[in-house]
Amino acid sequence: AFIANSHGELTYYNQRFYDYIGLGHGKGRGTEWKQLPIHHPDDLERTIERWNYSVTTGEPYEIEYRLRRADGMYRWHLGRAFADRDSTGQISEWFGTNTDIHDLRVAQERLRDAEATLNLALTAADIGFWDWDAVTGVTILSPTLMKSWGIDPKTYRNTMDEALERIHPDDRERVWAQIQESTFQKKRYDVEYRVVRPDGEQIVVNAKGQFFVDESGRPQRLSGVAIDITERKRAEQELRDARTAAEGANSAKSAFLANMSHEIRTPLGAIMGFSELAQQSGALSEEAANFVDVVHRNSVQVLKIVDDILDLAKVEAGRVLIEKIETPLVTFLADFTSLMGFRARENGINFRVEALTDLPEFVSIDPTRVRQILTNVVGNAIKFTPNGSVTLSVSYTNGRLDFGVRDTGRGISPEQATLLFQPFVQADISTTRKYGGTGLGLVLTKRLCQTMGGDFVLKYSQLGVGSHFIAWVEAERTVHSRMLTSQEIVFERAEKKNPQGGAALPLAGIRVLLVEDSPDNQELLRVILEKQGVIFSLANNGAEGLKKVLSEDFDVVLMDVQMPVMDGHEAVSKMRASDYQKPVIALTAHAMKEEYERAMRSGFTDYLSKPVNRAALAEKILKYGRPTASPA
């Protein structure tokens, strides 16, 4: 604190001042303060000028300047002084203070620097900012925002109405309601709307803001930024259009493949069915039997190729459905071992399965897809192993089921290995000539493994020595499933007779209506069913089938799904609408899970895919034709 007389001469400093500047008591009296080395050289002249002005005019003295502290450091101070007047109004004395505001000043400068940096960043990012005063209605828009919206700064009057005029009429009411809600209900402001520029161009804006209140909690202002997101919205729309087009293309491809599957599987069913009947008739010569065996074997191979193509298309389209089913792992592998062991013996090689770790009794997997993976990998190994052995190793760790397949086959060169997982590509063209195949098996296996949370890789391979592949999938150990030790794990199974070669199922007397448009399939199923004692009746399409079931008595209806005049879905829907309660089993060459689900929605009781397995067909007829009997 300090005191000065009416002429501006200092008459008093308190001790705190002397301690602060580090000078002896009594220094700086009168006008001596102007010569003291305590003011920053850049501030002294304007400080004297401002003091003389106040003394002359009597106006309050207020100025910021730097004083040197006792340690030699200059710090900012706020100097203030007020005149004390006598009864006549004349100035008698000045009373003043010096307040250290250095830290506050530095903080303010940093804040200004931060604001400048923010403004620079917003400008560089082409982001406008705004401020609406809820009390006065004054609306400030940044130059960037005005430029983006096409507002002339020279004519803009800082009102909310002017800003709202730029917003698309269909969005204006919604934006104003959001402003009111955010301000007076203290909610965050975040809204998208369209702005119409003077040239008619429309831009899309995302505005975000924050409300501010006074000491009493009353709303004062809403401030924020406005970002032009027109290009982003355009890109998002283009992405949606592209996705729609891609999904349309995938749907078209899936529909084409499903139809192709139907058109190929339908005649294949007749070929395979009649060749089986011919094999079992006993009326063929040895040479003719060999010919029929070749026809049947190649038909099975064609069916496998069709199924691989369809599965790969579904995986690539992201439409493959994975089921999680509690599966007895060792039993599952034992059945697979029995099948592959027979195939390996036919090739003159050994096949064995080994457990590298304890295995869970039950795991949650899709057994159909896992069997498909193993069939592809092990079958491929057997196919390319002319002598020696194929070994399947199984291990389980932390929810992951690993399968290793080692063989002593022809092996793969590093160059050929790079082509392994490309669709329709064989590692060696000579492979196709000698062994056949499409090159889809390993590609499909890899995609299926990845879909089930795993992968499929080639660990190593050497020409003339053999290969080692590894496939793994996620396989959660089910609740209450214990771990089986190596002593408890047995993969061998006694060989079972082919059910199609065994005795006929007891279907005698069951009345069956077949609704099918293909003459070949009509004849095939007639022969198969009548040989097992079925009372057989036929309809050529859905309309004929509908008429027959409503006028005649049948135990089971077998109905093709894709037929002229009236398809199976429409026919079964009309049957159920007419309160027909008897079982209707769908027959379809669309070997897809989606077709099964659609069949169930349409009203079918059950489902069989073509080519129809004779044992499965007999099982279904027995189950639904004689409900009191137990299916085989």
Side-chain angles (χ1 to χ4, degrees), residues 377-395:
V377 183
V378 175
N380 212 54
I382 292 173
K383 178 179 178 181
F384 293 110
T385 303
N387 52 67
S389 65
V390 173
T391 301
L392 170 64
S393 60
V394 187
S395 61

Side-chain angles (χ1 to χ4, degrees), residues 344-413:
R345 289 192 295 274
E346 281 188 324
N347 267 30
I349 62 174
N350 295 320
F351 174 68
R352 69 189 185 93
V353 183
E354 60 183 13
L356 301 183
T357 66
D358 293 349
L359 298 179
E361 187 178 15
F362 293 94
V363 289
S364 179
I365 57 173
D366 187 328
T368 301
R369 293 303 183 184
V370 174
R371 185 180 296 109
Q372 185 176 6
I373 289 169
L374 293 179
T375 301
N376 279 340
V377 183
V378 175
N380 212 54
I382 292 173
K383 178 179 178 181
F384 293 110
T385 303
N387 52 67
S389 65
V390 173
T391 301
L392 170 64
S393 60
V394 187
S395 61
Y396 184 82
T397 308
N398 297 327
R400 170 173 154 168
L401 191 58
D402 284 61
F403 301 101
V405 179
R406 304 190 306 274
D407 64 61
T408 59
R410 62 198 300 270
I412 304 167
S413 70

